[in-house]
């Protein structure tokens, strides 16, 4: 690592990388200590994490136990010697974390895009010597992520790291937060002295995907990992599906991960990202087709009420002209577009036809497909 920021050299973690592990949320002193003892005994973990205040989408879900868990973190540190960290989302959180001697705090994905809050937190933490990790914002916006890191550094926080936790992606992905690996790599290129940690748990959203993502992270120049571990993940009060048991964590860490292979890694990353985009576009195409057929169904109802023929040749000619000219602008062959739209038109007509038959059979008003 280029900049170890001298917190705990030498690093215990896998292949010389920092390892941060612990439950998503602090739930009870017992849950924390039980987990921390196993993690510390493994000799592979540098920091124990636990969310004290949880930024949740819905006000009805578990919001974290709050300040009293800071004492539980202190007890973990006293008994196991692990450095301790939690998420801060306000000035109050930052003040209390300093008061309780936390070694590190992180600014979460929901807070990082608010420059006012980041500045207020930076003003509290400056000069304290505490480590601050900045998670990427939900949106895949590298400037916003880099901007928060610069803001902290310029405000006098020297020990700043970044955490890659994946990004919101409008298309359905197997991941809870899509990795877009090129963004943390680009951040590293822009700020070569910035340690960047990978958080496979929040990228995955599903514990079965975590080892595969750890493998991917180990092939890239990440400086460490942050992994959620809970003694009974299915009963966890937050992020139940993505946390590993301590035993599964240890088993995963004992695996001999392939090391960095820059050429292959870049090729895999580019392929992954292009495929993710294609998957997104396919999803959009299927959605658009289904929406088109539903509209055709509604039009069938109007045609019926006005006693119009289902097939309207004039309208069809307009459609074909418009799409072939659009296709040409987009570099698509006109016979490809014509064939594709003939199939679509054929299906639209059969949707309308089926609706008409159904109406005749039931003798009722048609139920429009919505
Ligand atoms: C967390 O680390 O538990 C967390 C809430 O992360 P994120 O901000 O990445 O969603
Ligand atoms: Mn979590």
């Amino acid at each position: 690592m280029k900049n170890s920021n001298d917190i705990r050299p030498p690093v215990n973690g896998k292949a010389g990388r920092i390892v941060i592990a612990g439950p998503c949320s602090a739930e009870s002193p017992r849950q924390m200590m039980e987990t921390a003892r196993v993690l510390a005994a493994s000799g592979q973990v540098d920091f124990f994490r636990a969310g004290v205040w949880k930024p949740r989408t819905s006000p009805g879900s578990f919001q974290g136990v709050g300040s009293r868990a800071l004492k539980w973190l202190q007890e973990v540190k006293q008994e196991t010697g692990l450095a301790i960290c939690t998420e801060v989302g306000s000035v109050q959180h930052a003040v209390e974390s300093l008061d309780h001697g936390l070694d590190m705090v992180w600014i979460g994905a929901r807070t990082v895009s608010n420059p006012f809050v980041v500045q207020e937190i930076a003003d509290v933490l400056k000069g304290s010597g505490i480590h601050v990790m900045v998670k990427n914002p939900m949106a895949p916006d590298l400037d916003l992520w880099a901007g928060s890191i610069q803001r902290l550094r310029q405000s006098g926080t020297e020990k700043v790291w970044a955490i890659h936790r994946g990004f919101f992606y409008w298309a359905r992905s197997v991941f809870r937060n899509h990795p877009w690996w090129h963004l943390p790599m680009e951040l590293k290129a822009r700020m070569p002295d910035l340690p960047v940690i990978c958080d496979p748990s929040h990228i995955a959203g599903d514990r079965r995907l975590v080892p595969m993502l750890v493998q991917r992270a180990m092939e890239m120049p990440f400086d460490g990992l942050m992994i959620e571990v809970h003694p009974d993940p299915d009963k966890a009060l937050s992020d139940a599906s993505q946390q590993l048991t301590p035993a599964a964590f240890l088993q995963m860490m004992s695996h001999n991960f392939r090391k960095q292979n820059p050429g292959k890694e870049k090729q895999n990353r580019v392929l992954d990202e292009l495929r993710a985009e294609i998957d997104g576009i396919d999803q959009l195409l299927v959605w658009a087709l289904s929406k088109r057929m539903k509209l055709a169904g509604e039009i069938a109802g109007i045609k019926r009420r006005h006693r119009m023929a289902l097939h309207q040749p004039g309208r069809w000619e307009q459609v074909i002209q418009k799409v072939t000219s659009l296709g040409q602008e987009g570099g698509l062959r006109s016979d490809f577009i014509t064939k594709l739209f003939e199939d679509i038109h054929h299906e639209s007509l059969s949707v309308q036809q089926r609706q008409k038959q159904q109406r005749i059979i039931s003798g009722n008003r048609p139920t429009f497909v919505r």
Side-chain angles (χ1 to χ4, degrees):
M1 209 173 74
K2 287 212 180 70
N3 177 3
S4 67
N5 283 333
D6 54 36
I7 179 130
R8 265 179 69 108
V11 165
N12 288 326
K14 193 85 186 157
R17 304 188 202 208
I18 298 151
V19 176
I20 305 160
C24 177
S25 298
E27 295 171 6
S28 71
R30 190 164 158 213
Q31 167 240 16
M32 306 245 295
M33 199 59 87
E34 216 176 284
T35 316
R37 282 191 190 122
V38 185
L39 298 180
S42 76
Q44 302 235 24
V45 175
D46 298 286
F47 287 85
F48 182 80
R49 65 149 281 156
V52 169
W53 304 279
K54 300 301 296 176
R56 305 309 298 284
T57 308
S58 149
S61 46
F62 176 64
Q63 308 288 305
V65 299
S67 312
R68 67 199 163 108
L70 292 169
K71 191 156 177 302
W72 307 343
L73 275 170
Q74 285 178 317
E75 286 161 5
V76 162
K77 183 171 177 164
Q78 271 155 21
E79 187 179 320
T80 66
L82 289 171
I84 47 174
C85 58
T86 197
E87 172 170 348
V88 291
S90 70
V91 165
Q92 184 60 26
H93 299 165
V95 169
E96 290 189 44
S97 298
L98 287 179
D99 288 349
H100 287 78
L102 266 71
D103 299 287
M104 178 153 79
V105 289
W106 73 87
I107 298 179
R110 291 158 192 79
T111 307
V112 70
S113 33
N114 186 332
F116 297 119
V117 178
V118 173
Q119 186 63 57
E120 284 169 4
I121 293 174
D123 291 340
V124 172
L125 299 179
K126 71 177 168 209
S128 67
I130 198 168
H131 274 68
V132 185
M133 300 189 289
V134 182
K135 285 203 167 195
N136 63 261
M138 310 288 271
D141 183 341
L142 186 55
D143 290 332
L144 193 56
W145 193 8
S148 290
I149 291 163
Q150 280 156 354
R151 187 176 288 281
L152 279 150
R153 282 182 160 173
Q154 280 172 19
S155 307
T157 305
E158 285 152 25
K159 299 165 183 172
V160 184
W161 300 355
I163 306 184
H164 170 46
R165 48 80 76 201
F167 300 86
F168 170 78
Y169 181 37
W170 58 268
R172 203 183 311 132
S173 152
V174 289
F175 303 112
R176 176 180 178 194
N177 293 294
H178 195 75
W180 299 126
W181 297 109
H182 64 286
L183 293 173
M185 293 301 111
E186 168 71 21
L187 184 70
K188 263 204 148 304
R190 279 197 205 177
M191 301 180 176
D193 62 336
L194 175 79
V196 183
I197 308 288
C198 180
D199 171 352
S201 304
H202 287 89
I203 295 176
D206 179 329
R207 68 180 67 91
R208 292 168 300 183
L209 300 174
V210 172
M212 176 265 255
L213 287 166
V214 169
Q215 173 62 70
R216 292 307 311 277
M218 298 298 276
E219 290 166 21
M220 291 181 228
F222 281 106
D223 299 277
L225 298 166
M226 180 191 251
I227 296 167
E228 288 190 337
V229 182
H230 188 287
D232 191 355
D234 288 334
K235 298 213 178 82
L237 299 179
S238 60
D239 289 350
S241 55
Q242 72 194 31
Q243 304 201 57
L244 299 177
T245 60
F249 170 79
L250 295 187
Q251 197 196 5
M252 181 179 79
M253 297 308 274
S254 69
H255 182 75
N256 205 3
F257 289 106
R258 278 193 312 277
K259 297 287 150 30
Q260 203 174 323
N261 177 345
K264 189 152 180 292
E265 177 278 307
K266 185 146 190 239
Q267 176 192 321
N268 285 344
R269 178 153 44 95
V270 172
L271 255 182
D272 273 5
E273 277 161 15
L274 292 175
R275 283 181 176 149
E277 256 188 274
I278 286 200
D279 289 350
I281 290 169
D282 286 348
Q283 208 178 317
L284 198 58
L285 284 173
V286 173
W287 175 86
L289 285 172
S290 142
K291 181 83 184 155
R292 196 185 192 286
M293 295 307 156
K294 286 172 186 164
L295 291 175
E298 289 192 31
I299 286 175
I302 297 171
K303 285 178 179 166
R304 177 185 49 76
R305 284 195 295 280
H306 293 88
R307 301 189 184 286
M308 289 160 73
L310 283 186
H311 180 46
Q312 305 273 322
R315 162 73 184 149
W316 173 238
E317 266 161 41
Q318 278 173 2
V319 170
I320 253 321
Q321 255 172 27
K322 204 181 290 169
V323 291
T324 43
S325 119
L326 277 173
Q328 262 163 12
E329 280 172 33
L332 299 169
R333 283 186 302 113
S334 61
D335 51 347
F336 164 66
I337 290 288
T338 307
K339 187 168 172 296
L340 180 67
F341 273 82
E342 270 167 7
D343 280 350
I344 293 174
H345 185 230
H346 184 77
E347 182 62 16
S348 273
L349 286 177
S350 43
V351 164
Q352 298 189 337
Q353 196 64 45
R354 280 200 301 274
Q355 196 170 305
K356 190 173 167 192
Q357 282 161 0
Q358 212 176 348
R359 193 179 162 271
I360 294 167
I361 294 164
S362 65
N364 285 325
R365 286 164 59 82
T367 42
F368 293 128
V369 195
R370 280 191 196 276

